[in-house]
Amino acid sequence: MGKVSPLNHDAIAIFKSIPQDSEYIFPDNGRIRNNINRWDFARALRLSGITNFRFHDLLHTWASWHVQNGTPLMVLKEMGGMGKAGDGE
């Protein structure tokens, strides 16, 4: 199974408003997509006019928003798929 990422109410509403033919947001022929195609991401950036942006920047934004809203760092570590809280301590 792919990673699960918590979304706020606005993000959920946007995804619910998009017609879907799969239970997944970004499916691969109706199946779960195990990775993001860099060409698709680059195309989305180009079509939206976003420049000077990397996919990895999304991780930093997500983590920053959590820290700003009080998510403990060890919880954030686990949510980000970097191991269970307390691993390697």
Side-chain angles (χ1 to χ4, degrees), residues 21-65:
D21 57 0
S22 172
E23 64 180 300
Y24 303 109
I25 296 172
F26 302 109
D28 184 9
N29 293 322
R31 298 182 315 266
I32 192 168
R33 178 174 263 181
N34 291 320
N35 57 35
I36 300 294
N37 181 305
R38 291 187 184 277
W39 296 108
D40 291 340
F41 186 71
R43 181 174 182 263
L45 291 176
R46 187 179 70 253
L47 291 173
S48 64
I50 297 173
T51 59
N52 193 25
F53 192 81
R54 302 166 301 148
F55 188 82
H56 191 75
D57 295 334
L58 296 173
L59 174 64
H60 289 275
T61 300
W62 171 82
S64 294
W65 288 348

